[in-house]
């Protein structure tokens, strides 16, 4: 599977293809440091720019493109062959491709840890209890049938159960909710959704 990245990142990666393996590996380390800290200082860009003989803005754009390359490669769980083929399609070959692969493999554990910390931790489904109630008469109306459904939803977050949520609905809304959830489950099976889910895991 080849990695797909945006055209702007491809443009920013283009000047990196001209670097030798050692200089490119140093840029990779800057990219990993940027992922780890969430930012880099302008001084680090300026130092690298003077060493490489380019502008600081060019270095910044290149480092950000490398960050995107590493993150998307890790999210896509690319093998060594897929990663090498992907960077080759971007114009990296020989020592440059080897330097990228070495940096990517060296920081796999660090990338996994950082991405797990950045992942949204939202409450998820744990259990659901339901009960049907039917009102058959009242003081105002002797002959009536008014069904309702009580739902008790239990969610969990970080392995701990949250306070349960009690909901009440009528058959019409319950049927609409069921159909909406079934449509959502069918949508998840489409190739487009599977491709998105593969990148956000």
């Amino acid at each position: 599977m080849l990695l797909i990245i945006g055209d702007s990142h491809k443009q920013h990666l283009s000047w990196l293809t001209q670097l030798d393996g050692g200089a490119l590996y140093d840029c990779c380390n800057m990219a990993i440091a940027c992922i780890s800290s969430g930012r880099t200082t302008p001084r680090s860009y300026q130092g690298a720019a003077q060493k490489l003989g380019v502008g600081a803005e060019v270095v910044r754009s290149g480092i950000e493109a490398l960050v995107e390359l590493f993150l998307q490669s890790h999210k896509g769980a690319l093998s060594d062959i897929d990663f090498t083929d992907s960077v080759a399609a971007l114009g990296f070959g020989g020592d440059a491709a080897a330097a990228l692969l070495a940096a990517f493999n060296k920081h796999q554990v660090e990338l996994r840890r950082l991405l797990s910390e950045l992942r949204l931790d939202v409450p998820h489904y744990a259990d659901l209890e339901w009960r049907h109630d039917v009102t058959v008469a009242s003081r105002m109306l002797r002959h009536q049938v008014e069904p309702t459904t009580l739902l008790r939803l239990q969610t969990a977050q970080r392995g701990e159960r949250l306070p349960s949520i009690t909901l009440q609905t009528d058959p019409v809304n319950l049927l609409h909710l069921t159909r909406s959830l079934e449509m959502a489950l069918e949508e998840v099976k489409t190739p487009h959704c599977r491709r998105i889910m593969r990148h956000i895991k």
Side-chain angles (χ1 to χ4, degrees), residues 13 15-16 23-41 44-45 48 59-71 83 99-100 103-104 107 110-111 114 118:
L13 286 170
W15 75 272
L16 293 170
L24 182 58
Y25 191 81
D26 291 339
C27 290
C28 291
N29 288 332
M30 287 182 63
I32 297 299
C34 181
I35 297 173
S36 179
S37 64
R39 60 183 177 82
T40 52
T41 61
S44 62
Y45 290 139
V59 174
R60 185 190 65 78
S61 299
I63 298 302
E64 290 178 356
L66 281 176
V67 168
E68 179 70 9
L69 175 67
F70 286 141
L71 290 179
F83 183 84
L100 286 172
F104 180 66
H107 298 288
E110 180 72 3
L111 285 171
L114 292 171
L118 293 174

Side-chain angles (χ1 to χ4, degrees), residues 17 23 25 27 69 72 83 86 92 94 103 122 130 144 151 170-171 176 180:
T17 61
Y25 191 81
C27 290
L69 175 67
Q72 295 304 324
F83 183 84
S86 296
F92 295 95
V122 296
W130 55 271
Q144 66 171 347
L151 306 170
D170 55 52
H176 175 70
S180 298

Side-chain angles (χ1 to χ4, degrees), residues 29 38-39 42-43 51 56 58 73-74 85 88 97 99 102 124 128-129 142 177 186:
N29 288 332
R39 60 183 177 82
R43 183 178 299 176
K51 186 184 298 184
V58 174
S73 298
H74 183 76
D85 290 343
H124 58 274
L128 178 67
E129 297 178 1
R142 288 192 141 192
L177 176 62
E186 290 298 323

Side-chain angles (χ1 to χ4, degrees), residues 59-188:
V59 174
R60 185 190 65 78
S61 299
I63 298 302
E64 290 178 356
L66 281 176
V67 168
E68 179 70 9
L69 175 67
F70 286 141
L71 290 179
Q72 295 304 324
S73 298
H74 183 76
K75 288 179 182 178
L78 296 188
S79 64
D80 288 355
I81 295 176
D82 289 337
F83 183 84
T84 303
D85 290 343
S86 296
V87 297
L90 294 171
F92 295 95
D95 293 342
L100 286 172
L101 180 61
F104 180 66
N105 287 332
K106 178 182 178 181
H107 298 288
Q108 279 277 21
V109 176
E110 180 72 3
L111 285 171
R112 187 178 301 112
R113 181 186 66 81
L114 292 171
L115 287 176
S116 64
E117 292 177 356
L118 293 174
R119 185 177 299 159
L120 291 176
D121 187 13
V122 296
H124 58 274
Y125 170 86
D127 192 18
L128 178 67
E129 297 178 1
W130 55 271
R131 185 183 76 196
H132 288 306
D133 288 336
V134 179
T135 303
V136 295
S138 66
R139 290 185 179 181
M140 300 295 297
L141 296 172
R142 288 192 141 192
H143 303 289
Q144 66 171 347
V145 177
E146 187 180 336
T148 58
T149 301
L150 291 176
L151 306 170
R152 185 164 66 183
L153 176 63
Q154 183 72 57
T155 58
Q157 188 175 23
R158 297 177 183 173
E160 297 183 1
R161 293 207 166 193
L162 301 176
S164 60
I165 303 170
T166 303
L167 308 169
Q168 178 177 313
T169 185
D170 55 52
V172 175
N173 284 323
L174 183 60
L175 183 60
H176 175 70
L177 176 62
T178 303
R179 288 174 177 169
S180 298
L181 291 174
E182 288 175 347
M183 289 174 60
L185 288 174
E186 290 298 323
E187 183 71 19
V188 170

